[in-house]
Amino acid sequence: MNQVFNKDILQGKIAFVTGGGTGITGGVAKAFAEHGAKLAITSRKEENLAAMKAEVESFGGECFTVAADVRDFEAVENAIAATREHYGKIDIVVNGAAGNFLCAANELSPNGFGTVVDIDTKGTFNVCRASFEALKESKGQILNISATLHYLATPMQIHVSAAKAGVDAITRNLSVEWGRHGIRVNGIAPGPIEDTEGMKRLLMPELKEKLTRKIPLQRFGKIADIENAALFLTSDAASYVNGVTLVVDGGQWLLGTSLA
Ligand code: HXC
């Protein structure tokens, strides 16, 4: 249980979270529920949704689930409509659905590249676009989960780097275009966070200690570190923060220590 913030900072808010069944975004969804928000979570996998719903309900939270692939705009529109029908509004949208695997650029197929761009970048656009009317009505906000991979260059990650650079562009553009509607759009760029699917896929266990020594804060991040950043950005404490992607990486990218 996250204890940094008051328990009611998101009281009465409805949060629609993609990829909210597992990992970093699952942690963010749970933290929102622990701080008063009611959740709508979406993922391709029904089993991930059911497990998260059970967990959130076990501590008294509310969790509506709807399966959808963020690459499918019609499915996304239906998920947003179902959420509005269920709760009457949407205040916060979190784009956490993401795809990842390690692959050298010269071995990556165009479809492999396109698949990750479709999930991360087009999926983020689809969800933002489909939730615009709801967010305009609630004067709500969007939080995009990005990465730091593209700040320098990360071998074996050309697809994710390109996709997340696109996500950052979406964050900036929408913050400018939709700010006048009272919608804030921000992002979080997590660095190396332990116990996540991304790290399991990207980092060989024997490299963890070596990499830890190269992180300025001398430790891997925890999912709770991202939860706290997400709570701050979506709370009234950040009501004048717009168009920012907050890096939460212990200073890792500044040293240019590649994860791959
Ligand atoms: C090379 C691969 C591949 C691999 C898939 N492809 N896996 N190429 N190496 N390991 C290629 C396939 O060959 C195919 O191209 C194309 O990608 C589509 O593959 P499918 O399996 O048909 O696609 P799909 O089932 O839609 O999903 C693929 C997937 C997905 C993206 C790999 O399974 C997925 O998202 N898994 C990971 C989820 C995850 O880890 N989420 C956390 C992300 S963490 P061809 O040409 O053969 O048709 C994150 C943070 C990054 O993003 C920052 C960390 C620091």
Side-chain angles (χ1 to χ4, degrees):
M1 175 78 70
N2 184 310
Q3 309 216 314
V4 173
F5 298 98
N6 281 344
K7 289 292 159 204
D8 61 353
I9 57 170
L10 297 181
Q11 199 64 45
K13 303 289 185 194
I14 305 299
F16 179 90
V17 185
T18 76
T22 56
I24 288 178
T25 321
V28 167
K30 268 186 283 180
F32 282 2
E34 287 165 358
H35 290 77
K38 292 179 182 172
L39 303 178
I41 57 169
T42 183
S43 159
R44 268 190 298 168
K45 294 184 188 145
E46 294 273 3
E47 67 269 22
N48 290 345
L49 293 175
M52 180 57 77
K53 181 178 170 66
E55 196 174 343
V56 170
E57 288 176 351
S58 74
F59 61 79
E62 227 177 285
C63 187
F64 175 69
T65 63
V66 49
D69 187 330
V70 293
R71 292 171 283 190
D72 177 351
F73 185 65
E74 204 181 316
V76 169
E77 279 191 308
N78 291 339
I80 296 280
T83 302
R84 289 178 88 181
E85 198 178 316
H86 185 79
Y87 286 124
K89 63 167 186 164
I90 298 173
D91 301 291
I92 302 168
V93 166
V94 180
N95 284 297
N100 205 353
F101 50 80
L102 288 174
C103 190
N106 59 309
E107 287 168 10
L108 181 63
S109 73
N111 191 40
F113 183 92
T115 296
V116 171
V117 170
D118 276 350
I119 297 170
D120 294 22
T121 319
K122 192 174 164 198
T124 294
F125 174 76
N126 285 346
V127 173
C128 293
R129 178 70 183 81
S131 57
F132 173 68
E133 289 300 333
L135 294 175
K136 190 174 147 190
E137 210 173 284
S138 64
K139 300 208 180 304
Q141 53 177 302
I142 293 168
L143 183 65
N144 294 326
I145 307 301
S146 188
T148 61
L149 302 169
H150 53 293
Y151 293 178
L152 296 172
T154 308
M156 317 285 278
Q157 289 280 270
I158 193 170
H159 41 319
V160 187
S161 301
K164 295 298 194 184
V167 169
D168 291 354
I170 289 172
T171 299
R172 284 192 292 270
N173 263 71
L174 292 187
S175 71
V176 169
E177 289 198 36
W178 293 358
R180 74 194 64 175
H181 299 293
I183 302 170
R184 292 194 294 119
V185 186
N186 291 301
I188 295 176
I193 306 297
E194 61 194 6
D195 300 327
T196 59
E197 186 61 29
M199 272 305 112
K200 272 180 225 147
R201 283 173 184 249
L202 302 185
L203 190 69
M204 286 178 283
E206 58 271 26
L207 289 182
K208 187 175 174 189
E209 202 187 311
K210 198 171 153 206
L211 179 62
T212 302
R213 289 197 298 272
K214 293 183 176 172
I215 299 171
L217 289 186
Q218 299 288 292
R219 69 168 175 91
F220 268 56
K222 298 179 187 309
I223 290 180
D225 292 315
I226 309 303
E227 293 171 9
N228 288 333
L231 286 165
F232 164 68
L233 285 172
T234 54
S235 74
D236 288 345
S239 60
Y240 202 53
V241 180
N242 188 31
V244 159
T245 296
L246 181 61
V247 179
V248 185
D249 75 337
Q252 187 257 337
W253 86 267
L254 290 167
L255 273 175
T257 44
S258 183
L259 294 180

